[in-house]
């Protein structure tokens, strides 16, 4: 017998582009319909047939083609181990899984432009679009003689028309209000800048590597991001902050600015990690995770008249474990965040990070209101939101292959956070 249409499985293409299924129900207060639609339409874009691990995605869409960068490994399901590469999935957003192709951006041993990547892995790829012709992909690694694995930052350009990569380039920076002294963007440079910001000797306590953990945002004639620097003991990160930085040349050279001070936190673990940048006429805001449930997700701001000084971070939402992501949907929805929430039990195979709160934030950052929660049985880990042609698309890490049940980090998937989820079509 023929099943009624609404019981038949959606084809892959229809699952992504057909809006009627998501829009028809009047949205219940718990957002169950929204959450299910978001998860059910998520399609794998990482190279799941080969990878044992895929995580930490960033996304850009140019002319209907998605470009998702992430770190992955074909030899182990563990993070930041030998064999980890920076990879980019290229796919048509209307039919992601069926059209995905992959390009390796960087791996240990790569050599070009007078640079040889040393060590055994690279990490933390992030992506920025230079118009509609070039993508600039940033990542961290090391060269021979560097004391740590994520010691310095690099970039490569991807030329869309020819599908080719540039040579390796070192990221460069200026520190401590010395515009004439251009340095490689390394842990040592960041440590010197922390000494400048917080007093001599501060930088030495941040000695376990750097990371390009923040998205790239253009405003006031510059490109802004942050660079992350940490310290760890016995394999556990204990101290971490992010230094705001701006670039006048699309991210090749960065001026290091201020950083929120993690030492102001009263908890034993002092982490201000993986920020999202927002801004208005007067301030730049960093939305950060503290990795401690008591302090949750935090907000720290700096006046645009003095970007070298951030105020003390303030707790704005609970939990604070897992990378935050924010996007401005415009009126009437406004600013929306995805914040990792406490995991929900789903039987024997429960993964951690299987729930995210979808939170609306007012323009003054005073009122945070939960719209609904998203639960993916296989994990909804480190989501990343990207606004393209007035629609918000999301990549996130999940674990459909159950290779690392603890976190669910074996695939990167692509979905869409629809406007109908927030505003019912009356």
């Amino acid at each position: 017998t023929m099943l009624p249409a609404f019981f038949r499985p959606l084809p892959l293409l229809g699952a992504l582009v057909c809006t009627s299924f998501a829009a028809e129900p009047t949205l219940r207060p718990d957002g169950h319909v929204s959450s299910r639609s978001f998860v059910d339409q998520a399609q794998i874009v990482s190279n799941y047939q080969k990878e044992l691990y895929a995580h930490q995605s960033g996304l850009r869409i140019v002319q209907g083609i998605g470009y998702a960068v992430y770190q992955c490994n074909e030899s182990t399901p563990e993070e930041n181990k030998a064999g980890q590469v920076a990879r980019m999935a290229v796919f048509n957003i209307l039919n992601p899984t069926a059209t995905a192709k992959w390009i390796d951006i960087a791996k240990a041993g790569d050599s070009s432009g007078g640079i040889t990547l040393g060590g055994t892995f690279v990490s933390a790829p992030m992506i920025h679009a230079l118009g509609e012709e070039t993508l600039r992909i940033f990542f961290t690694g090391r060269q021979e003689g560097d004391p740590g694995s994520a010691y310095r930052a690099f970039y490569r350009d991807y030329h869309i028309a020819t599908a080719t990569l540039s040579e390796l380039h070192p990221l460069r920076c200026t520190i401590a209000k010395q515009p004439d002294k251009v340095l490689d963007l390394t842990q040592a440079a960041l440590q010197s800048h922390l000494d400048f910001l917080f007093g001599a000797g501060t930088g030495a306590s941040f000695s376990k590597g750097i990371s390009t953990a923040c998205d790239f945002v253009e405003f006031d004639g510059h490109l802004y991001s942050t660079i992350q620097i940490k310290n760890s003991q016995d394999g556990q990160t204990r101290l971490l902050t992010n230094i705001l930085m701006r670039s006048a040349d699309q991210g090749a050279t960065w001026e290091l600015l201020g950083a929120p001070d993690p030492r102001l936190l009263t908890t034993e673990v002092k982490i201000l990690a993986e920020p999202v940048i927002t801004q208005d006429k007067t301030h730049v805001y960093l939305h950060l995770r503290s990795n401690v449930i008591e302090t949750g997700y935090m907000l720290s701001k700096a006046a645009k008249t003095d970007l070298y000084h951030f105020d003390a971070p303030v707790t704005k939402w609970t939990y604070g474990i897992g990378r935050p992501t924010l996007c401005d949907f415009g009126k009437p929805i406004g600013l929306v965040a995805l914040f990792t929430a406490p995991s929900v039990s789903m039987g024997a195979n429960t993964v951690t990070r299987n729930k995210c709160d979808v939170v609306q934030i007012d323009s003054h950052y005073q009122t945070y209101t939960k719209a609904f929660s998203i639960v993916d049985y296989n994990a909804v880990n480190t989501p990343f939101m990207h606004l393209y042609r007035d629609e918000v698309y999301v990549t996130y890490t999940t674990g459909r292959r159950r290779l690392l049940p603890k976190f669910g980090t074996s695939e990167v998937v692509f979905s869409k956070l629809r406007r109908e989820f927030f505003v019912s079509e009356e």
Side-chain angles (χ1 to χ4, degrees):
T1 56
M2 192 72 173
L3 282 171
F6 53 84
F7 283 129
R8 284 182 222 142
L10 284 169
L12 275 179
L13 182 61
L16 196 78
V17 299
C18 170
T19 60
S20 60
F21 279 63
E24 274 171 12
T26 303
L27 300 186
R28 298 206 294 273
D30 64 359
H32 175 75
V33 173
S34 310
S35 177
R36 278 269 42 98
S37 178
F38 176 83
V39 170
D40 291 344
Q41 73 191 12
Q43 291 193 45
I44 299 175
V45 293
S46 54
N47 193 356
Y48 64 94
Q49 293 175 316
K50 289 186 174 183
E51 296 155 2
L52 304 185
Y53 164 91
H55 195 31
Q56 302 285 15
S57 58
L59 175 68
R60 286 293 184 271
I61 300 171
V62 179
Q63 300 285 19
I65 305 298
Y67 301 88
V69 295
Y70 59 102
Q71 59 187 45
C72 62
N73 204 318
E74 296 179 6
S75 56
T76 174
E78 294 187 67
E79 184 171 13
N80 293 341
K81 299 296 183 186
Q84 181 174 284
V85 304
R87 186 164 284 170
M88 181 168 71
V90 182
F91 54 92
N92 188 311
I93 65 171
L94 298 182
N95 197 6
T97 301
T99 57
K101 295 179 170 58
W102 302 277
I103 294 154
D104 280 4
I105 303 302
K107 62 183 184 300
D110 282 356
S111 189
S112 65
I115 293 170
T116 299
L117 298 177
T120 60
F121 69 90
V122 299
S123 57
M126 289 296 271
I127 187 169
H128 169 60
L130 283 65
E132 296 194 332
E133 296 177 6
T134 307
L135 301 169
R136 184 157 285 177
I137 298 137
F138 306 82
F139 62 95
T140 51
R142 70 189 295 181
Q143 290 180 262
E144 189 177 352
D146 287 344
S149 55
Y151 187 78
R152 62 180 69 229
F154 307 89
Y155 75 89
R156 293 186 82 174
D157 286 342
Y158 177 77
H159 304 290
I160 291 173
T162 57
T164 56
L165 285 165
S166 74
E167 294 182 328
L168 291 161
H169 295 278
L171 278 193
R172 307 277 280 162
C173 69
T174 62
I175 66 170
K177 296 186 180 179
Q178 299 174 323
D180 299 329
K181 188 178 178 183
V182 182
L183 309 166
D184 282 348
L185 185 58
T186 63
Q187 176 181 293
L190 269 61
Q191 289 173 308
S192 295
H193 190 69
L194 289 174
D195 285 348
F196 165 76
L197 290 177
F198 299 126
T202 311
S205 60
F206 293 80
S207 61
K208 289 296 196 301
I210 68 172
S211 180
T212 41
C214 177
D215 197 14
F216 300 88
V217 184
E218 292 183 270
F219 58 90
D220 300 346
H222 286 80
L223 183 66
Y224 285 80
S225 187
T226 72
I227 189 79
Q228 186 163 289
I229 185 166
K230 71 175 184 177
N231 206 39
S232 54
Q233 292 171 283
D234 304 320
Q236 298 292 314
T237 303
R238 314 293 291 177
L239 182 67
L240 182 153
T241 194
N242 274 265
I243 301 169
L244 183 68
M245 56 185 191
R246 68 181 167 203
S247 174
D249 59 7
Q250 290 293 320
T253 314
W254 295 91
E255 175 191 2
L256 298 195
L257 303 164
D261 189 349
R263 299 171 305 170
L264 297 176
L265 300 180
T266 57
T267 49
E268 185 184 348
V269 171
K270 300 181 187 300
I271 287 176
L272 294 169
E274 296 179 333
V276 184
I277 297 174
T278 57
Q279 56 94 29
D280 56 27
K281 287 180 181 177
T282 56
H283 289 86
V284 171
Y285 303 84
L286 295 184
H287 307 259
L288 303 128
R289 68 174 174 94
S290 67
N291 231 37
V292 176
I293 293 169
E294 302 95 286
T295 40
Y297 287 98
M298 312 197 82
L299 183 69
S300 181
K301 67 182 184 296
K304 287 187 172 180
T305 53
D306 180 11
L307 290 176
Y308 285 89
H309 292 94
F310 278 84
D311 63 6
V314 177
T315 297
K316 289 292 185 177
W317 197 254
T318 58
Y319 205 55
I321 295 170
R323 180 176 76 184
T325 182
L326 281 82
C327 205
D328 190 347
F329 278 73
K331 291 181 178 179
I333 301 164
L335 201 63
V336 173
L338 287 182
F339 292 139
T340 300
S343 296
V344 295
S345 177
M346 291 182 160
N349 284 330
T350 296
V351 292
T352 58
R353 303 190 190 179
N354 64 11
K355 182 178 181 182
C356 267
D357 288 338
V358 183
V359 179
Q360 291 180 257
I361 303 173
D362 80 293
S363 58
H364 301 290
Y365 303 98
Q366 296 301 310
T367 306
Y368 285 50
T369 309
K370 187 166 96 168
F372 55 93
S373 293
I374 290 169
V375 177
D376 187 333
Y377 180 84
N378 302 299
V380 50
N381 198 339
T382 54
F384 184 99
M385 288 199 278
H386 174 55
L387 181 68
Y388 171 71
R389 292 185 179 170
D390 215 33
E391 295 284 358
V392 175
Y393 296 87
V394 182
T395 52
Y396 67 91
T397 306
T398 190
R400 294 182 187 177
R401 299 178 72 201
R402 323 301 294 167
L403 288 164
L404 196 61
K406 184 181 177 187
F407 292 117
T409 52
S410 60
E411 296 92 24
V412 173
V413 295
F414 175 78
S415 190
K416 186 174 176 179
L417 199 64
R418 300 179 182 280
R419 291 177 177 276
E420 307 94 276
F421 293 170
F422 302 91
V423 182
S424 59
E425 305 284 329
E426 291 296 336

